[in-house]
Amino acid sequence: MRKSIMQKDRTRCFLCGRNGQGDPLEEHHCFGGPNRHLSEEDGLKVYICGNRCHRNGPGAAHQNARTAEFLKAEAQMAWEATYGPREAFLRRYGKNYL
Ligand SMILES: [Zn+2]
Ligand SMILES: [Zn+2]
């Protein structure tokens, strides 16, 4: 298991900045489905309010396509800054989100 390369501060929601009081922060893998294990290996995950920002709110990562795409773009930027050029990202994740 790798630490997030996107977010050093695990005490604030990556999306809204709340501190998890009353809505504990949860870990979100920016690339799910078949790429979830790559997200885990590469540290492409963020900590976000479990109810409001992760699972159930209207803007939540698992409810709102724009939020999901935003997090994927952020993840790609972090990946390219850490691991290598865009071609390498495309080979690994199959799509450009930027
Ligand atoms: Zn999630
Ligand atoms: Zn939040």
Side-chain angles (χ1 to χ4, degrees), residues 71-87:
L71 290 171
K72 286 173 176 154
E74 291 285 315
Q76 182 176 347
M77 280 190 266
W79 195 95
E80 291 179 0
T82 305
Y83 299 114
R86 179 145 313 164
E87 306 79 67

Side-chain angles (χ1 to χ4, degrees):
M1 203 163 105
R2 200 186 196 294
K3 278 187 187 159
S4 171
I5 64 164
M6 301 173 62
Q7 187 181 15
K8 289 198 176 73
D9 182 3
R10 289 173 167 222
T11 67
R12 298 271 165 190
C13 174
F14 186 83
L15 290 171
C16 75
R18 287 181 174 87
N19 65 6
Q21 292 256 352
D23 188 0
L25 303 182
E26 294 176 355
E27 189 175 79
H28 171 70
H29 290 74
C30 294
F31 299 98
N35 286 335
R36 194 175 194 279
H37 71 287
L38 295 178
S39 273
E40 180 62 38
E41 267 180 46
D42 294 349
L44 299 182
K45 46 196 185 179
V46 291
Y47 303 92
I48 52 181
C49 306
N51 184 50
R52 179 189 293 106
C53 298
H54 190 206
R55 289 177 278 103
N56 298 317
H62 289 280
Q63 300 294 336
N64 186 306
R66 288 172 68 181
T67 303
E69 290 294 306
F70 167 75
L71 290 171
K72 286 173 176 154
E74 291 285 315
Q76 182 176 347
M77 280 190 266
W79 195 95
E80 291 179 0
T82 305
Y83 299 114
R86 179 145 313 164
E87 306 79 67
F89 179 86
L90 293 176
R91 275 198 302 276
R92 192 159 168 82
Y93 286 91
K95 190 179 160 187
N96 181 28
Y97 296 91
L98 298 175

